[in-house]
Amino acid sequence: MSQERLLKELAEEMPPARLPADLWDTGRRLRRRRRIGYAVAAVLVLALTLALPEVAAHRRAAVVPADGPGAVPSGVELPRAWQAKVGQWPAGPGGPAALVFYTDQTRYFESTGVAVGRNGSYRLIYLDIGEGHGLLTPDGRYYVRPGLRLLDLSTGAERQLGSEPMVGYPMAFSPDGTELLVGVSNDDGVITYGDDTVPDNDPEKPDDLVAVDMRTGARRYVAVGRLNSYNVAAWSPDGSRIAVEGPFGRGDTGRRLSVMDARTGAPIWTEDNAAPWRRLAGRGAWTPDGQLLAMLAAEGCEQRCDLVDETAHRWRLELVDVNTGNVVTAPVPIEGVPGDVVGWRDGRDAVLTYAPSRADYYHRNLVALRPDGVVETLVETPTRVSGVEVPDDLLRAGAFGGARPEPSPWAAPAWAYLVVAAPCLLALWIVRRVRRRRQRRV
């Protein structure tokens, strides 16, 4: 039997191939799916190409030194709902801060710190319930929380300054940044009573003013039991004097303004029961030459004022002699609602937090108040921003007017990427299952 005939007989014995009736249509569908897959891949590649510069921009924060060039931005934006916290993976560190502002417009729905890095990055600083605002160190590297907890803005690491927590709020740094003034609360948190119903403790113990060494955590007492609490403290430019203000007496019935020696606490002059609605302007109250102190005064409701009365106050900035407390310059009228003076620009313009609209009492910008009363906005903030902190080194250098950064959408924590990726992975899994079922049918 020839080979050709043998092959023919074998072919006749083989069962015929079973082809689906819609073979042509199936091929066309597979071809369309391949085209759609290629189009999706092209879109993803294009999106990644456009996103890489943004990703690289927010990852560069780790290599920006604290003493590098920087400026306070002219404005800020609200952070994104998924904005990463300081040091949160994979967003990376934010680096030294150009400023910190506070807002409740975050995913925590309460007051939250937002650190804006000198490289334009945005990172959240979570605050515990009821936690007050902290301070930036003069170089912008650390954020000091109440209780003397230091948050490294480059790594996100947090540590206790000193051997144990301190119940009190950071108030002002020394001019060289080596010491921090803290008003230490001595009040008994819970009142206990003896058999004669007389309290065994005192909920109104006078507080202490303590200077804490920022390198070692060592603490030295500047003033002991002078005031019930310390509302404001300001360190003189040469570091030799401290101005403080706060209530004293049973029930906080009195108010005291005092200038004292920074080492011994010896008072230079003291004014008790100062005029109502006249207060030390803030931690930057000393003028750069150390000869005058800025005071904020107002006319209107004096005691037990509600928000409407406080909003109606007509404010002014006064400068007093540091040796006598006497007003020595013409008062500067203020149209809006002032917050605290944090520094000076060019030695003459007071830099302070400021509510430009009396209708939005709690909104704060950062402005420069000129001697003629003209207000120049240095940092414009969106609504619901309740405070602004700026590092002292940028304040002293007058480094204002930096570019207005926008929060990067890619500076997000890992869970945000998982939330976005999960639906995509689920869709791919479903498509794959459907495709396998169809292939089995074929």
Side-chain angles (χ1 to χ4, degrees):
M1 182 181 294
S2 63
Q3 184 178 3
E4 181 179 353
R5 185 177 177 181
L6 177 61
L7 293 175
K8 185 177 181 181
E9 289 179 357
L10 290 175
E12 291 175 353
E13 293 176 0
M14 292 294 294
R18 291 180 299 173
L19 299 177
D22 59 345
L23 178 62
W24 181 259
D25 293 335
T26 301
R28 294 182 64 182
R29 285 195 298 269
L30 290 174
R31 187 177 181 184
R32 282 198 300 267
R33 289 171 186 166
R34 291 194 187 98
R35 289 180 176 177
I36 294 174
Y38 295 149
V40 171
V43 171
L44 291 176
V45 170
L46 178 61
L48 289 174
T49 303
L50 296 176
L52 281 176
E54 283 283 343
V55 176
H58 91 263
R59 295 291 296 183
R60 284 198 303 267
V63 298
V64 177
D67 55 356
V72 179
S74 59
V76 293
E77 305 291 342
L78 291 175
R80 301 182 186 275
W82 58 87
Q83 206 78 57
K85 294 192 296 184
V86 172
Q88 195 168 23
W89 186 86
L99 65 83
V100 167
F101 67 91
Y102 303 91
T103 179
D104 58 2
Q105 298 298 290
T106 68
R107 62 176 177 269
Y108 300 112
F109 301 106
E110 60 187 19
S111 183
T112 307
V114 182
V116 181
R118 301 189 184 189
N119 62 339
S121 60
Y122 283 67
R123 297 291 186 274
L124 299 184
I125 302 174
Y126 174 73
L127 305 182
D128 295 332
I129 302 297
E131 179 181 341
H133 297 172
L135 283 180
L136 277 174
T137 55
D139 60 3
R141 276 193 177 275
Y142 297 92
Y143 175 79
V144 186
R145 296 176 178 273
L148 295 186
R149 292 178 293 159
L150 264 64
L151 175 65
D152 191 322
L153 298 180
S154 294
T155 65
E158 186 171 319
R159 63 181 177 88
Q160 180 69 48
L161 180 61
S163 58
E164 58 185 17
M166 178 181 289
V167 182
Y169 287 91
M171 305 181 73
F173 283 98
S174 61
D176 58 5
T178 59
E179 288 187 304
L180 173 64
L181 281 178
V182 179
V184 180
S185 175
N186 293 325
D187 296 345
D188 292 325
V190 178
I191 304 176
T192 59
Y193 294 87
D195 296 336
D196 54 358
T197 69
V198 176
D200 290 336
N201 50 14
D202 184 3
E204 296 181 344
K205 287 182 180 178
D207 287 356
D208 300 328
L209 187 66
V210 176
V212 181
D213 192 301
M214 292 298 295
R215 294 161 295 188
T216 64
R219 304 167 185 181
R220 64 177 181 87
Y221 287 83
V222 178
V224 177
R226 300 272 184 88
L227 300 174
N228 291 353
S229 61
Y230 290 87
N231 296 337
V232 188
W235 215 308
S236 67
D238 61 2
S240 64
R241 293 163 293 178
I242 294 173
V244 295
E245 181 187 297
F248 71 97
R250 190 71 177 177
D252 293 347
T253 54
R255 191 165 64 88
R256 175 175 294 165
L257 172 64
S258 180
V259 176
M260 64 183 69
D261 185 277
R263 302 303 304 180
T264 65
I268 297 173
W269 64 267
T270 298
E271 180 184 17
D272 288 347
N273 296 320
W277 285 106
R278 183 168 177 264
R279 63 180 177 85
L280 192 63
R283 70 173 187 269
W286 293 82
T287 55
D289 59 7
Q291 300 301 312
L292 303 173
L293 273 174
M295 307 289 294
L296 288 171
E299 297 177 357
C301 171
E302 296 182 356
Q303 294 181 353
R304 300 186 181 277
C305 304
D306 58 20
L307 181 59
V308 175
D309 293 331
E310 290 187 15
T311 304
H313 280 142
R314 310 304 299 183
W315 290 92
R316 64 185 181 274
L317 180 74
E318 299 176 346
L319 297 179
V320 302
D321 187 284
V322 297
N323 298 310
T324 64
N326 297 326
V327 179
V328 296
T329 62
V332 181
I334 303 174
E335 290 298 323
V337 181
D340 292 321
V341 173
V342 297
W344 298 81
R345 184 183 66 171
D346 300 331
R348 67 184 189 96
D349 299 340
V351 178
L352 67 154
T353 56
Y354 176 81
S357 171
R358 294 177 180 269
D360 194 359
Y361 181 84
Y362 294 107
H363 175 218
R364 291 289 186 264
N365 288 335
L366 190 71
V367 304
L369 177 65
R370 300 178 183 175
D372 57 3
V374 175
V375 173
E376 179 184 345
T377 301
L378 300 177
V379 180
E380 184 180 7
T381 65
T383 58
R384 307 300 291 271
V385 169
S386 58
V388 180
E389 294 285 343
V390 180
D392 287 343
D393 62 348
L394 296 183
L395 280 172
R396 287 193 290 266
F400 299 105
R404 183 171 187 151
E406 294 185 2
S408 169
W410 305 101
W415 60 259
Y417 286 96
L418 292 176
V419 168
V420 174
C424 299
L425 295 175
L426 179 61
L428 290 175
W429 180 79
I430 293 174
V431 169
R432 187 176 181 183
R433 287 292 301 271
V434 171
R435 183 177 179 183
R436 285 184 175 180
R437 286 180 181 179
R438 290 184 176 179
Q439 288 175 348
R440 284 197 295 268
R441 291 173 186 171
V442 172

